[in-house]
Structure formats: structure tokens, C-alpha cells
């Protein structure tokens, strides 16, 4: 059975992350020393992940309403999610390569120890669902992917907030 209530709640949380980050960016003042391109990349990553979580929280509802079997709903959703995510990652990595020299050690540590492992785990979960290896775990793996992406959004939100907050020294 497809839990549309939980899917809708995830979509709302993801969109709230994107909205709050945009608000913080607009109202906050940038910290000294941060390159605006780094801040823009963080914000772009956060918004893209949040919108992807929002969209793919809602996506399974479509095949479900078309009366597909639950296993098929999760497999279709995972395949489309994988395709969109892979295209998004291609462009994100291309952009990252152009600004990597501007980053801080914090960006690299956070990325290495949180974002990349979560991304790899979510890819593995989506591939497992798409391949149909464990049909009884399809919904749990799909939801796990959405939650891991929300955690990534939260981490990027913290980086965005920290980049626009200035600490006054006395």
C-alpha cells in the first residue's frame, strides 16, 4: 500500500528547506572571506535536492493513481529518480570542478564525511528498488532515499546559514 500522507509530508518538509534557505540567503549578510560562488553553489545544491525530494515524494502517487501494482509503482519511481538524479549529479560535478579551488576545508570535510556517503547509500537503495531484488523492501528503501536526501538538504542548509551569518568580534 502506498502511504500518500507520508509522501505529501516529505514533500512539504523539502519545500520548506528550499524556502527557508532562500529567505536566509536574501535577508542574511555574507560572512567575510566567503566567495559568492561557493555560497551560490551551496544554495543551488540545497534547492535542487529539496525540489528533487519534493518532486519524488509526489511522483509515486501518479503510477499509484493509474492502478499499477505497488511493486511497479516503486520500481518506476526509482528508475525515474535515478535518471533525474544522475543528470543532476553530472551538472553539479561539472560546476563543482570549476569552483573547487574556492572552497574551504569545511566544505570538503562535510562533503567527504556526510554528503557523499549519503548520496552513495541513496543510489544503492534506488538501484536495489529499480532492480527488484527485494520487493518487500521497496517502499522502505524508497522512503530511506527520500530521508537521506532530506538530511543532505539539512546539512547544506546549515552550510548556507553559516555562510550568511557574520560573527561580530568584540
Amino acid at each position: 500500500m502506498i502511504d500518500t500522507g507520508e509522501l505529501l509530508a516529505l514533500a512539504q518538509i523539502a519545500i520548506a528547506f528550499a524556502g527557508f534557505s532562500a529567505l536566509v540567503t536574501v535577508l542574511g549578510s555574507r560572512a567575510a572571506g566567503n566567495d559568492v560562488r561557493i555560497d551560490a553553489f551551496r544554495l543551488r545544491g540545497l534547492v535542487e535536492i529539496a525540489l528533487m525530494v519534493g518532486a519524488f515524494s509526489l511522483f509515486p502517487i501518479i503510477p499509484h493513481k493509474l492502478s499499477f501494482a505497488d511493486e511497479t509503482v516503486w520500481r518506476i519511481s526509482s528508475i525515474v529518480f535515478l535518471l533525474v538524479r544522475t543528470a543532476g549529479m553530472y551538472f553539479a560535478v561539472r560546476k563543482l570542478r570549476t569552483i573547487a579551488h574556492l572552497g574551504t576545508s569545511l566544505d570538503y570535510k562535510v562533503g567527504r564525511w556526510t554528503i557523499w556517503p549519503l548520496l552513495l547509500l541513496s543510489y544503492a537503495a534506488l538501484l536495489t528498488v529499480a532492480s527488484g531484488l527485494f520487493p518487500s523492501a521497496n517502499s522502505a528503501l524508497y522512503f530511506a532515499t527520500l530521508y537521506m536526501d532530506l538530511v543532505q538538504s539539512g546539512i547544506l542548509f546549515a552550510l548556507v546559514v553559516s555562510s550568511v551569518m557574520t560573527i561580530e568580534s568584540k
Side-chain angles (χ1 to χ4, degrees):
M1 169 128 181
I2 307 296
D3 186 358
T4 56
E6 189 172 358
L7 289 168
L8 291 171
L10 279 170
Q12 291 170 344
I13 292 168
I15 300 308
F17 266 132
F20 283 131
S21 65
L23 185 63
V24 165
T25 302
V26 169
L27 297 178
S29 59
R30 288 184 51 258
N34 283 348
D35 191 292
V36 70
R37 292 171 288 185
I38 294 292
D39 293 341
F41 183 76
R42 288 175 181 158
L43 179 62
R44 176 182 164 191
L46 186 154
V47 170
E48 285 176 356
I49 292 170
L51 291 177
M52 199 174 327
V53 170
F56 285 99
S57 292
L58 300 174
F59 188 85
I61 296 170
I62 298 167
H64 175 67
K65 292 291 185 184
L66 293 172
S67 301
F68 283 98
D70 287 356
E71 181 181 343
T72 306
V73 167
W74 297 121
R75 289 183 76 184
I76 290 170
S77 299
S78 294
I79 290 167
V80 175
F81 200 163
L82 280 166
L83 292 172
V84 171
R85 168 172 276 170
T86 302
M89 283 303 301
Y90 170 77
F91 291 109
V93 168
R94 281 185 58 194
K95 180 65 176 175
L96 181 60
R97 286 183 179 161
T98 65
I99 64 167
H101 66 284
L102 303 171
T104 64
S105 62
L106 174 65
D107 288 327
Y108 296 121
K109 288 177 184 174
V110 168
R112 182 181 304 130
W113 298 111
T114 59
I115 302 291
W116 287 107
L118 286 169
L119 185 65
L120 293 174
L121 284 171
S122 63
Y123 260 110
L126 287 174
L127 285 169
T128 301
V129 174
S131 65
L133 289 176
F134 303 105
S136 61
N138 282 354
S139 65
L141 290 170
Y142 192 85
F143 276 106
T145 297
L146 294 172
Y147 286 122
M148 284 185 274
D149 285 358
L150 272 180
V151 169
Q152 289 177 54
S153 289
I155 292 166
L156 288 171
F157 180 74
L159 287 172
V160 166
V161 168
S162 70
S163 73
V164 297
M165 292 178 61
T166 56
I167 298 172
E168 299 291 327
S169 60
K170 294 185 179 197

